[in-house]
């Protein structure tokens, strides 16, 4: 007891800091807190700005009508909402199949001679600007078949691949080796162990990765500018030009007409809400696992 | 009565055959990743060829970008890309590291996670939405400040002086900060919005590596009687610096390729930049603004060459980031 008291007094006397050290400590603490406020402020400002400006335009028309002709009032974003959903669904087919297979390859065949190459290329692919992927999809699809939702979906799918590869590799590696060994010891072939035991065990994390990838590409407008191109009418045919929310936001925000700008703000609010919901849900999901 | 178990040898044969098929299927699917990469190089390379043949290395050093005279040089856009990215990086890195330190060292427990969430959401905001906000909210504020700048006669005199200088094709550091119009848009706004956009990349990498700094490291410093700032600056930051550097380079990669937000606010001028308030363009913004309208084949090819350069630039930047992280990081921090 007395020993404890003695130590405590000792600590108390020895932390008599020189004023400069104390001042610097306080100053840096304050600066760091202030900087954090500066970092978070834009997010809050953007969110409330869009809420204030966009909520009024989010009526039934917004979800059920196509944009009004330039300069006229009314209209909605049905074409963009449907186009976004369809292109994201198509992009997921590419992104999920290739991405998850890539993740399985990197985690289950670590000694394969091609493994370092594929890992490096998938990492490098993650840094390629979206607009460059738009140029690639333009060359691959648009030059031969014209502007189409499919070309846009291809660009978005390419952008999804590295994100899905990275996250699925990481969660697959978290599945304990003993689980795989248990499956193999039961006489199951490796492919059954991978598909029926390892993959389901990592499913939560993989779905999180897919959702994060979707949230990331859902807001991309740059690669759609000259692939999906945009369409002021509802179009569900993937071989024809198609609109998307980010595209309509871009057109509206750079338009001179108030009504288009109002629509862009409402569209931005919807997009941001969808993306935030997806990311938060994904985080929730992964945390519970 | 005991039923005999199915003899294993036949199953074993079946097993290895099916494993082989599975491996090949997975390998083929994973090879699509390599295919996408090679296809991208091929596509961009093929379409860049006419411009590269016509201009050679001059494409990267010439300042003239004129679709009418069919002369294309990318020096102004390369300069625009580097200036916006590097200044944005210089502003955002201290802020990002500070916020990472706040979340991992300073914040009370109940606040750390929500703040982390918010910073990650910052990365989820799409480029167009940043562009929209910059156009409608920040540009008017900058414009108002620029208007007030011009009402001062001294400033007008400075502008006249700078105008003469600019006309002769030169600039000075002083004139670099003189606005030439009250537009709000321009290089400065692009830098502001880029700063915000790349913040979360550095911040989340920095946060992760700071969390991985061993607790012993902190406790040892505290035991020596160090203040919190001393622990942070001498025990945590040096230990995490390689990882943080990786995050910085990752953010640089993002900044170089960031497109629409910049394209919407930078003013799209292909002249070499004279003032931080003036209009400019980046490689990505030129692709976004011109590719759709580029009917003429040399113009189109020149725009694709910008894309090819951007492609290689981001490959190199990302590769360097990985090497730095792998080389400098102490074991346990990746």
């Amino acid at each position: 007891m007395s020993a404890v008291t003695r130590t405590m007094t000792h600590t108390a006397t020895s932390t008599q800091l020189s004023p400069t050290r104390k001042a610097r400590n306080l100053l840096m603490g304050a600066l760091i807190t202030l900087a954090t406020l500066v970092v978070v402020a834009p997010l809050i400002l953007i969110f409330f700005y869009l809420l204030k400006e966009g909520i009024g335009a989010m009526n039934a028309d917004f979800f059920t009508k196509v944009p009004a002709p330039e300069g006229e009032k009314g209209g909605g974003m049905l074409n963009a909402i449907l186009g976004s959903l369809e292109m994201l669904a198509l992009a997921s087919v590419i992104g999920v199949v290739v991405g998850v297979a890539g993740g399985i390859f990197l985690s289950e065949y670590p000694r394969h001679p091609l493994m370092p190459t594929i890992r490096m290329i998938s990492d490098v692919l993650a840094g390629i600007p979206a607009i460059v992927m738009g140029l690639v999809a333009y060359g691959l699809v648009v030059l031969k078949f014209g502007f189409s939702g499919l070309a846009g979906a291809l660009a978005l799918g390419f952008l999804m691949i590295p994100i899905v590869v990275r996250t699925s590799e990481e969660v697959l590696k978290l599945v304990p080796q003993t689980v795989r060994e248990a499956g193999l010891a039961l006489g199951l072939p490796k492919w059954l162990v991978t598909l029926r035991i390892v993959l389901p065990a990592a499913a939560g994390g993989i779905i999180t990765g897919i959702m994060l990838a979707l949230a990331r590409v859902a807001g991309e407008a740059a690669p759609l500018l000259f692939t999906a191109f945009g369409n002021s009418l509802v179009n569900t045919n993937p071989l024809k030009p198609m609109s998307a929310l980010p595209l309509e936001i871009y057109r509206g925000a750079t338009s001179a007409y108030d009504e288009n700008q109002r629509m862009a703000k409402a569209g931005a609010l919807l997009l941001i809400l969808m993306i935030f919901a997806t990311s938060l849900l994904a985080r929730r999901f992964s945390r519970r696992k | 009565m005991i039923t005999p178990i199915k003899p294993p040898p036949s199953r074993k044969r079946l097993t290895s055959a099916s494993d082989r098929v599975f491996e090949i299927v997975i390998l083929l699917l994973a090879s699509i990743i390599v295919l996408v990469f090679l296809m991208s190089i091929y596509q961009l390379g093929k379409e860049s060829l006419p411009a590269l043949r016509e201009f050679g290395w001059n494409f990267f050093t010439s300042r003239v970008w004129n679709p009418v005279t069919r002369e294309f040089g990318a020096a102004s856009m390369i300069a625009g890309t580097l200036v916006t990215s590097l200044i944005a990086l210089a502003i955002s890195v201290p802020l990002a590291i500070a916020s990472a330190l706040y979340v991992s060292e300073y914040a009370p427990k109940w606040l750390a996670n929500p703040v982390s969430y918010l910073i990650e959401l910052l990365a989820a905001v799409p480029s167009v939405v940043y562009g929209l906000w910059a156009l409608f909210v920040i540009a008017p504020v900058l414009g108002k400040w620029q208007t007030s700048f011009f009402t001062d006669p001294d400033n007008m005199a400075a502008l006249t002086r700078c105008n003469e200088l600019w006309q002769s094709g030169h600039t000075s550091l002083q004139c670099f900060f003189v606005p030439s119009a009250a537009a709000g848009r321009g290089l400065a706004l692009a830098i502001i919005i880029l700063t915000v956009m790349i913040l979360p990349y550095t911040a989340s990498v920095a946060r992760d590596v700071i969390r991985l700094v061993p607790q012993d490291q902190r406790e040892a410093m505290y035991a020596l009687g160090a203040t919190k700032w001393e622990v942070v600056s001498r025990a945590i930051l040096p230990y995490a610096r390689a990882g943080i550097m990786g995050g910085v380079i990752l953010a640089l990669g993002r900044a170089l390729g960031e497109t629409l937000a910049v394209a919407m606010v930078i003013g799209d001028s292909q002249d070499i930049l004279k003032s931080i308030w003036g209009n400019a363009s980046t490689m990505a913004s030129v692709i976004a603004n011109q590719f759709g309208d580029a009917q003429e084949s040399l113009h189109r090819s020149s725009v694709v060459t910008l894309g090819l350069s951007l492609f290689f630039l981001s490959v190199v930047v990302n590769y360097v980031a990985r090497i730095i992280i792998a080389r400098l990081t102490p074991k346990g921090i990746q």
Side-chain angles (χ1 to χ4, degrees), chain A residues 21 25 123 138 191 216, chain B residues 18-19 230 254 300 322:
Chain A
R21 284 177 67 205
N25 186 39
D123 276 344
Y138 178 91
W191 67 276
R216 171 109 172 68
Chain B
S18 58
D19 272 349
E230 285 162 350
R254 291 280 159 194
R300 171 155 289 202
R322 284 183 55 73

Side-chain angles (χ1 to χ4, degrees), chain B residues 3-26:
Chain B
T3 43
I5 307 169
K6 204 178 170 191
S10 70
R11 178 149 67 177
K12 199 173 181 186
R13 249 206 338 259
L14 186 79
T15 296
S16 57
S18 58
D19 272 349
R20 194 81 201 122
V21 171
F22 182 71
E23 188 180 336
I24 289 170
V25 170
I26 288 290

Side-chain angles (χ1 to χ4, degrees), chain A residues 15 17 21-22 24-25 28-29 31-33 35-36 38-40 42-46 49-50 94 97-102 104-105 109 112 114 117-133 135-136 138-140 143-144 158 161 165-166 186-192 194-195 215-216 218-222 225-226 246-247 249-250 252-255 261 264-265 268 271-272 275-276 279-280 283-284 287, chain B residues 11 14-16 18-19 22-23 25-27 29-34 36-41 43-44 46-47 94-103 106 113 115 117-133 135-137 196 199-201 203 224-230 232 234 253-254 256-260 263-264 284 287-289 291-292 300 303-304 306-308 310-311 314-315 318-319 322:
Chain A
T15 48
L17 294 173
R21 284 177 67 205
K22 200 171 189 174
R24 181 175 296 153
N25 186 39
M28 292 317 288
L31 280 179
I32 284 172
T33 313
T36 309
V38 172
V39 170
V40 181
L43 183 77
I44 295 165
L45 291 175
I46 290 173
Y49 174 75
L50 290 180
I94 306 165
V97 171
V98 178
V100 174
I104 292 178
F105 179 74
Y109 300 93
H112 196 283
L114 279 176
T117 318
I118 290 184
R119 157 165 299 131
M120 193 193 78
I121 288 184
S122 115
D123 276 344
V124 160
L125 221 49
I128 305 238
I131 187 129
V132 176
M133 275 306 172
L135 286 177
V136 172
Y138 178 91
L140 285 175
L143 276 183
K144 295 172 191 89
F158 287 172
I161 290 174
V165 170
R166 165 59 66 86
L186 287 173
L188 290 177
K190 183 172 180 175
W191 67 276
L192 264 182
T194 308
L195 285 185
R216 171 109 172 68
E220 287 291 357
L225 282 176
F226 29 77
L247 270 182
I249 296 167
Y250 176 64
T254 49
S255 152
Q261 296 181 359
K265 290 168 193 167
L271 183 64
I272 236 181
I275 288 174
F276 284 3
S279 337
L280 285 177
R283 297 258 150 231
R284 259 297 132 75
R287 180 170 291 185
Chain B
R11 178 149 67 177
L14 186 79
T15 296
S16 57
S18 58
D19 272 349
F22 182 71
E23 188 180 336
V25 170
I26 288 290
L27 181 62
L29 285 174
S31 303
I32 294 180
I33 299 166
V34 182
V36 169
F37 183 76
L38 295 177
M39 228 159 44
S40 305
I41 295 181
Q43 271 300 336
L44 297 171
K46 191 180 72 179
E47 288 176 53
L95 288 171
I97 295 177
S99 72
L101 285 172
Y102 182 78
V103 166
Y106 285 84
N113 267 327
V115 173
Y117 263 177
L118 288 181
I119 294 174
E120 257 160 52
L121 285 184
L122 210 53
V125 175
S127 191
V128 258
V129 176
Y130 276 116
L132 182 147
W133 182 66
L135 268 187
F136 291 146
V137 180
V196 178
L199 262 171
Y201 295 100
L224 291 173
T227 62
K228 183 156 228 165
W229 169 245
E230 285 162 350
V232 163
R234 291 184 208 168
R254 291 280 159 194
L256 293 173
E258 202 44 74
T259 309
L260 274 190
M264 286 160 89
I287 301 174
N289 284 328
F291 187 72
R300 171 155 289 202
V303 175
V304 178
L306 289 177
L308 183 71
L310 213 49
F311 181 94
S314 39
V315 167
N318 274 278
Y319 193 62
R322 284 183 55 73

